[in-house]
Amino acid sequence: MVESRSVERERKNRQKAALARSIVVLNIPKVGESKYEKLFKFLSPRLEVGDLGEKGIAIQKDENGDTTGIAFVEYKKPETAMRALKVLDGFRLDANHRLSVILLADADKIMSTTETFDESSLVEKEYELDADAQRSLPEWLDDKRSREQFAVVQENNAVEVFWFDSVVGSERILAKEYWTDSKAMWSTRGNYLATFHDKGIAVWGGPEFKKLKRFPHENVSYAQFSKQENFLVTWSGVEISPGEESPPSDDYIDDRYVVVWEVATGRPLRWFPVYKRTELTGEEGKEVPPVWPIFKWSPDDRYFARLGENVISVYTTPSMGLLGKKKIAIPGVQAFEWSPTDPIIAYWTPEMGDSPARVCLLEIPSRVELRQKGLYSVSNVQLKWKEDGNFLSCRVIRFGKNRKHQYTNFEIFHMRDKNYPIDILEFKEKEKVSAFEWEPKGNRFGVIHGEEANYADVSFYSMDSTSTGKLKHIFTVPKKQFKSILWSPLGTVALLARVGHPSEATNGTYEWYNVTEHELIGLAEHYSATHMEWDASGRFVCSYTTNESWEADNGYNVYNISGRMTATVNMNKMYQFLWRPRPQLYLTAEQEKNVRKNIKKYREEFKREDDELKESMRSGKAAERRDMRLKWAEYLATKADLMKAIEDKLAEFNIGKEDDYIEIEEVEEEFIDIKEEVDRTRKMLNSDDERD
Amino acid sequence: MRPIILAGHERPVTQVIYNREGDLLFTAARDRSPMVWRAQQGGARLGTFEGHGGAIISIDVTADSKYLITGSADNSARMWEVNGGKQVFQWDFKCPVSSVSISPDEKHVAFATSMLMKQEPEIHIMKFSNDPSTLEAEKVQSLKGPKVTMSRALWTGAGDHIICGAEDGTVRKFDVKSGEEIACVKEHAGGINDLQIAPNKVHFITASADKTAKLWDLEDMSILKTFKTERPVNSAAISPLMDHIVLGGGQDASQVTTTTTQERFDSRFYHKIYETEIGKVGGHFGPINAVAFSPDGKQYTSGGEESVVRMHNLDEEYFTKNYN
């Protein structure tokens, strides 16, 4: 069964690969049988832009032997097909014949597209490449005790993978020194672990973390998995000036380019130069860090898109061609984001002349503008989709009347309603909004806002996914120094945190809130923390200190959902802490409901299991310690003679015998009352505080 | 546990030691005035020893508590009457004195001098006498080993050897009679900030900038236990009573300026046999430079970079708790 499935997959892959290597050339001259040879001779050198594949060039003929105006070309490599598309599409053979070229893969799609648009065709036709992996439960999700995994990168570039275990302590699955040259990352859905090396990216997976694929890319510094992790994008971070491009070639990939790979096969599919923005914008001499990710992926891996000057370029997979062979021209476009669930792009453009700034929803691939909203006096817009795709929030920062102050409001699009109606949430002028976070499940969000520099209010709001005008303030936690809201992936619990750099005052303070009950449920501190992150299941949250941010106190603390610390680990040097992501929930709504119904039963079961484990660990640890004590006693016994010998010898010295004693009471020359000392210390402490 | 706060020093504390009976506490700091305190009854300051022209780096006291010997960055070591605080003798060197140790028979004293102006670091074994009137500055042996500053050079056991820890992370053992280096072991990845001999005289503990402390066998120089922390360890002491050790530390001196405003410098107690942390005592608002147990093990004292000395009488609970 497994075998036939893999054979089937192999066949499909081969077929797909052949599709990607071939092009269809339209609009070639139609000639009769007699002129066929001549036409072939005329066309061949033009179509042969690179090494040809098995099938080479085929000019289609009808039943009479006349050519139909169509030719098929198969190349050795998909890159050549891509280039042929570029070179040949629009090529003028003569006055009447301008060639039109499409990739066979695209043609295949075009042919299979029905006249009427069927939405289900999009949903059902998942990208098959990894279909098996997606449907069968990966072994790491099948843990008996449903534990989470995490990886750390620590001293000696050692990568270690653990089962997180709050009951008996985390269990190390594997550890390898120098497993990476710099860092490691999990793939989007958690199936792969990628390690960065000077020569490229290595991808590991399976229960033993075997090496699955290598992606050679000299000096790679950036990597990104697509949403369904079918594709990997790598980049060295080098931006080049226009004109510095390397000449197109089939077998040479410029290391400076950003490369899109197919994860399953390890094949590079397409590569792109990244141009220096300073030169593009004319702002020379200004060092700007590279923008990453360069591409944003659609939720189903069918498209990836890149922001350009006045354009968004949407590419299709697996052909890697531009959608509709044209970039989408959007004058002034500043930023865009894919919906996390639908093939919809949201973007915004600033005010230009008399026309207002706009936020638009664009459907892909139809390029139909679903909704647009005009906005005035806009300084900036930040787009944030809700994870379930139900809402899109736009944080709009506007200039006040005299342009002195800025103020913020939120335009929230309802994505599941007809015509995409909008709710608006406004904040006072002068009030700064430093964070906006959607509750991953549920219809709430949290905002940190305030006029003061150091203190801000944290407010929670709820809304209705089915109708507008129901945006409601729930409650506010006033005057706090928090900078971020971290919702549990399951919703309901929001963690307020100030975490960034340990040198900042009140860094590493946390409060957990049950937003449904409006209740503070937990408090914790980890002053030296530089990062904080929930695990994928929403049961644990980890605060950690990495070496890049802070040299001392490296390590991590893990808290449960109500802020109780369940683990604390110190390390000499820790570079990364990475919870393993999980794919979306496998349970159906019905199953989930069932679990909730029987929660009490499950809870008891789990508690009993945990207690048993704890007990066995306690007795195990006690035995281990008894052993250590015995060994120590044995060791000390071997030293007994030596101790005795030293003691005897020291006694011989007869140093400091009784009659040498002096009465210390007499030497008192100065006596300071201890109370005063305490006061002085307090003063020192206070003055220290004032200084800060 | 309420600590007794001894606020007399004005600069970072460098060493704290108890006398043999444990009723007196001597403290040295980068100011020029070593101090003596009553270790019990409220920690009153009994006196200061005025005269040095530089930071005090190391001190030692005779077994009868009559004399204190101090080593200073002013290139001298001095001998003081504890009773009265009068200077009674002075040794002069070409370099700062980084360590002072009186031999168990009190016939010699070892001074380690640090590297300065092309002078090689050296341990000077000088004649010593409990009667300063007969004392002369006479060198009987010179020990040369590490080419970097030695943080501690101490007499061991019955006084046949000197053990020293250095900034290059090495620990060396010298035979005093022959002057030979008989062992040189590098087990620490960072410099050694402190070295203390166990009350049972067969172990010693090293505190290192590599964020660990290690317990050694003095005889064969092997590592018995390693205590890991996440910050440089400046000082380590072995309890004479419990199977515990205490560590003090914080950031490297070079990092101190980036220290945050929050109080986070703890003395950390580890179980000597299990190598696991068993408790913390906070309070210092600078890195801890020196820790010491009282001879009875019921008290310990810590001295910080912020110049405060904190003396702690350990709670009843500390002694009765089951650490297994």
Side-chain angles (χ1 to χ4, degrees):
Chain A
M1 174 66 193
V2 175
E3 231 183 62
S4 72
R5 204 159 62 184
S6 70
V7 167
E8 169 74 359
R9 190 157 63 180
E10 180 62 22
R11 192 185 61 77
K12 265 190 186 164
N13 281 347
R14 261 208 310 271
Q15 202 176 34
K16 189 167 293 167
L19 283 181
R21 289 201 304 265
S22 308
I23 58 167
V24 185
V25 189
L26 306 170
N27 213 18
I28 61 173
K30 292 180 186 171
V31 295
E33 184 105 58
S34 53
K35 283 190 173 172
Y36 177 82
E37 280 299 312
K38 202 177 162 198
L39 177 69
F40 194 88
K41 266 192 188 147
F42 172 74
L43 276 178
S44 297
R46 287 174 173 78
L47 297 179
E48 205 178 323
V49 296
D51 290 348
L52 293 176
E54 270 171 59
K55 294 189 179 132
I57 298 166
I59 299 173
Q60 200 185 38
K61 285 190 247 178
D62 60 14
E63 53 270 32
N64 305 324
D66 297 340
T67 64
T68 59
I70 299 174
F72 297 91
V73 188
E74 186 190 321
Y75 298 99
K76 224 175 182 169
K77 292 194 172 121
E79 298 89 279
T80 322
M82 298 301 307
R83 210 171 69 238
L85 183 72
K86 254 194 244 167
V87 177
L88 298 176
D89 190 29
F91 182 80
R92 199 179 279 273
L93 279 182
D94 56 40
N96 300 324
H97 298 93
R98 187 198 280 266
L99 294 181
S100 172
V101 178
I102 50 176
L103 286 168
L104 189 54
D106 288 345
D108 195 44
K109 260 187 234 158
I110 294 164
M111 300 304 278
S112 60
T113 308
T114 48
E115 280 297 303
T116 51
F117 178 65
D118 178 10
E119 206 181 354
S120 67
S121 67
L122 277 181
V123 183
E124 276 168 18
K125 247 173 86 189
E126 277 228 49
Y127 195 71
E128 301 104 320
L129 199 69
D130 229 352
D132 297 335
Q134 283 175 23
R135 283 188 196 107
S136 69
L137 198 63
E139 73 299 325
W140 58 277
L141 288 174
D142 207 15
D143 181 48
K144 272 209 188 79
R145 292 178 50 227
S146 324
R147 292 172 297 178
E148 293 301 312
Q149 280 188 8
F150 67 91
V152 295
V153 180
Q154 61 151 315
E155 217 170 3
N156 297 337
N157 286 341
V159 184
E160 304 186 341
V161 183
F162 293 85
W163 285 114
F164 176 70
D165 200 321
S166 61
V167 182
V168 296
S170 296
E171 177 192 338
R172 186 152 65 189
I173 305 164
L174 86 166
K176 269 195 244 171
E177 285 199 347
Y178 306 106
W179 195 0
T180 171
D181 289 339
S182 56
K183 54 191 171 182
M185 73 187 279
W186 293 105
S187 61
T188 329
R189 297 158 59 93
N191 281 318
Y192 309 116
L193 179 69
T195 51
F196 286 66
H197 303 268
D198 297 342
K199 302 276 174 210
I201 300 282
V203 166
W204 315 74
E208 278 125 29
F209 288 93
K210 291 236 165 72
K211 191 190 270 181
L212 303 177
K213 278 284 170 312
R214 284 171 57 237
F215 301 89
H217 193 162
E218 198 91 21
N219 300 322
V220 61
S221 324
Y222 299 92
Q224 172 203 29
F225 282 93
S226 62
K227 295 282 167 59
Q228 301 298 328
E229 59 189 33
N230 291 314
F231 304 98
L232 175 71
V233 186
T234 59
W235 188 37
S236 60
V238 178
E239 293 173 352
I240 62 170
S241 306
E244 273 182 12
E245 301 93 338
S246 50
S249 158
D250 286 349
D251 31 47
Y252 171 72
I253 302 176
D254 194 319
D255 288 325
R256 301 171 304 174
Y257 285 16
V258 54
V259 184
V260 182
W261 310 79
E262 191 173 46
V263 173
T265 59
R267 280 188 312 141
L269 299 179
R270 191 167 173 183
W271 42 97
F272 306 82
V274 180
Y275 293 114
K276 280 194 181 124
R277 275 156 307 143
T278 46
E279 295 187 22
L280 287 174
T281 57
E283 281 180 72
E284 269 190 69
K286 218 166 129 192
E287 273 296 318
V288 270
V291 171
W292 183 262
I294 285 170
F295 294 111
K296 290 177 178 165
W297 290 83
S298 70
D300 55 3
D301 273 11
R302 293 169 75 89
Y303 307 103
F304 59 107
R306 176 182 183 180
L307 184 70
E309 252 194 302
N310 302 320
V311 288
I312 296 175
S313 313
V314 179
Y315 300 88
T316 57
T317 62
S319 73
M320 300 288 129
L322 259 176
L323 176 71
K325 293 183 282 181
K326 265 210 316 254
K327 297 174 176 176
I328 304 173
I330 305 166
V333 59
Q334 296 291 306
F336 76 92
E337 294 290 342
W338 284 98
S339 154
T341 51
D342 303 286
I344 296 174
I345 282 177
Y347 67 83
W348 78 278
T349 57
E351 280 165 76
M352 279 177 293
D354 290 338
S355 57
R358 293 184 313 144
V359 174
C360 291
L361 300 174
L362 190 67
E363 191 184 58
I364 301 297
S366 68
R367 306 181 185 211
V368 169
E369 198 174 279
L370 302 174
R371 177 80 158 94
Q372 70 146 300
K373 168 89 193 244
L375 302 160
Y376 289 94
S377 311
V378 169
S379 147
N380 196 4
V381 176
Q382 280 155 341
L383 306 164
K384 200 163 216 163
W385 287 92
K386 185 155 151 44
E387 224 170 284
D388 58 14
N390 286 352
F391 298 107
L392 165 71
S393 88
C394 312
R395 183 203 296 195
V396 184
I397 299 166
R398 289 183 152 127
F399 297 111
K401 281 181 201 102
N402 48 11
R403 292 231 154 195
K404 237 184 191 168
H405 297 293
Q406 295 194 333
Y407 66 101
T408 304
N409 70 359
F410 289 90
E411 312 263 337
I412 301 173
F413 291 72
H414 288 243
M415 297 303 297
R416 304 295 181 221
D417 291 356
K418 216 176 148 200
N419 297 331
Y420 310 98
I422 296 170
D423 265 322
I424 294 174
L425 174 65
E426 282 181 320
F427 285 92
K428 280 183 288 190
E429 197 162 335
K430 290 186 197 165
E431 215 171 1
K432 278 207 178 87
V433 176
S434 58
F436 174 101
E437 292 299 335
W438 285 109
E439 182 184 24
K441 280 190 159 190
N443 292 323
R444 292 176 285 206
F445 61 86
V447 181
I448 301 181
H449 59 101
E451 290 177 27
E452 288 170 60
N454 292 325
Y455 292 92
D457 296 345
V458 186
S459 295
F460 293 97
Y461 296 85
S462 73
M463 49 198 304
D464 197 320
S465 59
T466 52
S467 58
T468 48
K470 293 200 174 160
L471 178 66
K472 263 202 324 249
H473 171 255
I474 318 174
F475 74 108
T476 293
V477 184
K479 299 259 181 263
K480 293 284 184 184
Q481 293 191 299
F482 297 123
K483 283 196 163 166
S484 19
I485 303 171
L486 292 103
W487 284 94
S488 153
L490 296 181
T492 307
V493 174
L495 163 60
L496 308 184
R498 184 179 178 109
V499 58
H501 200 270
S503 64
E504 282 175 29
T506 73
N507 181 64
T509 48
Y510 319 115
E511 292 182 2
W512 280 257
Y513 284 87
N514 178 327
V515 178
T516 309
E517 306 292 338
H518 310 188
E519 185 188 16
L520 175 69
I521 54 173
L523 283 165
E525 290 162 346
H526 181 189
Y527 296 133
S528 53
T530 55
H531 298 80
M532 191 141 202
E533 214 175 305
W534 283 93
D535 77 329
S537 73
R539 292 175 294 175
F540 301 104
V541 61
C542 176
S543 68
Y544 57 95
T545 311
T546 61
N547 204 263
E548 272 90 357
S549 324
W550 190 243
E551 267 182 51
D553 304 317
N554 283 192
Y556 59 87
N557 291 349
V558 181
Y559 314 86
N560 72 2
I561 196 160
S562 57
R564 191 171 58 81
M565 185 140 74
T566 59
T568 173
V569 172
N570 298 320
M571 269 175 247
N572 191 25
K573 284 175 184 164
M574 187 176 88
Y575 298 102
Q576 281 180 291
F577 179 99
L578 306 157
W579 286 113
R580 189 169 193 171
R582 281 168 177 256
Q584 76 282 12
L585 211 57
Y586 278 86
L587 298 181
T588 61
E590 187 64 25
Q591 286 170 312
E592 212 180 321
K593 215 173 127 192
N594 242 325
V595 171
R596 284 185 196 283
K597 216 172 87 190
N598 295 318
I599 194 96
K600 214 172 161 188
K601 197 185 96 201
Y602 290 125
R603 195 192 294 141
E604 276 162 17
E605 250 172 59
F606 286 133
K607 181 159 184 346
R608 187 178 46 74
E609 277 173 28
D610 283 0
D611 287 348
E612 277 172 18
L613 253 172
K614 268 186 204 157
E615 185 47 45
S616 80
M617 186 190 65
R618 241 196 310 272
S619 52
K621 203 163 191 179
E624 188 190 326
R625 289 191 159 183
R626 195 166 47 239
D627 213 45
M628 287 171 96
R629 283 201 304 277
L630 280 175
K631 275 201 186 122
W632 183 256
E634 274 171 33
Y635 160 75
L636 277 188
T638 66
K639 293 279 160 190
D641 290 348
L642 182 65
M643 281 189 235
K644 179 84 174 52
I646 294 170
E647 214 173 284
D648 290 349
K649 202 159 177 201
L650 290 179
E652 263 173 50
F653 295 149
N654 207 15
I655 296 297
K657 19 182 219 300
E658 280 299 311
D659 46 325
D660 283 344
Y661 273 54
I662 47 162
E663 188 47 60
I664 209 75
E665 292 298 324
E666 295 165 18
V667 303
E668 251 174 62
E669 59 165 28
E670 189 182 351
F671 191 91
I672 298 171
D673 186 40
I674 189 60
K675 238 187 181 165
E676 194 187 314
E677 297 284 331
V678 172
D679 285 349
R680 259 172 68 181
T681 319
R682 195 171 298 138
K683 253 180 237 152
M684 286 170 74
L685 278 163
N686 288 343
S687 62
D688 215 59
D689 289 344
E690 280 157 24
R691 221 180 309 139
D692 302 316
Chain B
M1 187 172 54
R2 265 186 84 96
I4 298 159
I5 291 155
L6 312 181
H9 286 293
E10 285 162 1
R11 300 288 314 278
V13 178
T14 52
Q15 194 176 9
V16 295
I17 58 165
Y18 285 88
N19 65 342
R20 192 174 67 175
E21 279 67 37
D23 58 341
L24 298 178
L25 177 78
F26 296 87
T27 59
R30 296 207 162 269
D31 54 37
R32 294 156 188 201
S33 313
M35 292 177 190
V36 56
W37 314 75
R38 197 188 290 280
Q40 294 297 334
Q41 299 150 25
R45 183 163 64 179
L46 298 169
T48 58
F49 303 89
E50 303 287 354
H52 269 298
I56 313 299
I57 304 167
S58 180
I59 50 177
D60 200 1
V61 63
T62 57
D64 59 9
S65 307
K66 262 190 190 159
Y67 298 104
L68 177 74
I69 305 192
T70 55
S72 167
D74 69 0
N75 298 359
S76 77
R78 301 179 193 207
M79 178 173 173
W80 312 79
E81 261 174 22
V82 172
N83 181 359
K86 200 177 93 193
Q87 183 187 320
V88 291
F89 196 77
Q90 178 168 342
W91 295 267
D92 287 308
F93 299 96
K94 288 179 182 149
C95 302
V97 178
S98 61
S99 171
V100 175
S101 177
I102 304 167
S103 72
D105 62 5
E106 298 202 341
K107 292 204 165 74
H108 298 99
V109 59
F111 298 109
T113 51
S114 46
M115 192 142 81
L116 191 78
M117 308 211 288
K118 290 182 190 161
Q119 294 290 326
E120 232 177 90
E122 185 180 343
I123 302 168
H124 310 258
I125 310 292
M126 310 293 284
K127 263 220 166 120
F128 184 68
S129 161
N130 227 335
D131 179 4
S133 64
T134 65
L135 197 54
E136 281 170 57
E138 187 187 344
K139 183 146 108 179
V140 297
Q141 186 60 277
S142 162
L143 311 174
K144 287 186 183 174
K147 299 279 181 269
V148 295
T149 298
M150 290 169 270
S151 44
R152 292 284 177 262
L154 306 177
W155 296 88
T156 72
D160 302 324
H161 302 134
I162 291 263
I163 188 114
C164 88
E167 275 175 2
D168 59 0
T170 59
V171 177
R172 291 163 204 251
K173 188 151 89 170
F174 294 93
D175 184 289
V176 179
K177 263 205 190 93
S178 68
E180 267 172 48
E181 181 181 298
I182 49 179
C184 173
V185 185
K186 190 167 188 318
E187 289 282 356
H188 279 293
I192 290 170
N193 292 327
D194 190 19
L195 188 157
Q196 293 191 22
I197 299 202
N200 69 15
K201 310 270 193 280
V202 299
H203 303 141
F204 65 95
I205 192 163
T206 47
S208 168
D210 71 2
K211 304 179 187 173
T212 69
K214 287 176 191 281
L215 186 72
W216 303 63
D217 183 313
L218 235 174
E219 206 179 358
D220 64 9
M221 300 286 281
S222 63
I223 302 283
L224 302 170
K225 302 284 175 184
T226 297
F227 308 95
K228 289 181 187 154
T229 79
E230 61 291 340
R231 297 187 151 198
V233 187
N234 295 337
S235 184
I238 303 169
S239 166
L241 185 63
M242 310 288 284
D243 280 326
H244 297 165
I245 59 141
V246 65
L247 308 179
Q251 279 126 317
D252 293 321
S254 61
Q255 269 208 358
V256 165
T257 47
T258 63
T259 300
T260 75
T261 54
Q262 278 141 23
E263 197 170 281
R264 62 179 72 179
F265 296 95
D266 301 326
S267 303
R268 302 174 62 168
F269 280 76
Y270 280 68
H271 198 284
K272 189 169 77 185
I273 300 173
Y274 312 146
E275 302 173 320
T276 53
E277 188 171 356
I278 52 177
K280 283 180 188 180
V281 179
H284 279 286
F285 50 97
I288 296 169
N289 292 339
V291 287
F293 274 107
S294 67
D296 64 0
K298 293 187 174 165
Q299 192 183 72
Y300 91 92
T301 295
S302 54
E305 181 78 15
E306 84 284 35
S307 82
V308 175
V309 174
R310 298 171 73 92
M311 200 156 74
H312 311 78
N313 285 310
L314 293 155
D315 289 338
E316 188 58 30
E317 193 205 336
Y318 165 80
F319 301 102
T320 54
K321 198 179 158 195
N322 180 8
Y323 292 98
N324 299 335

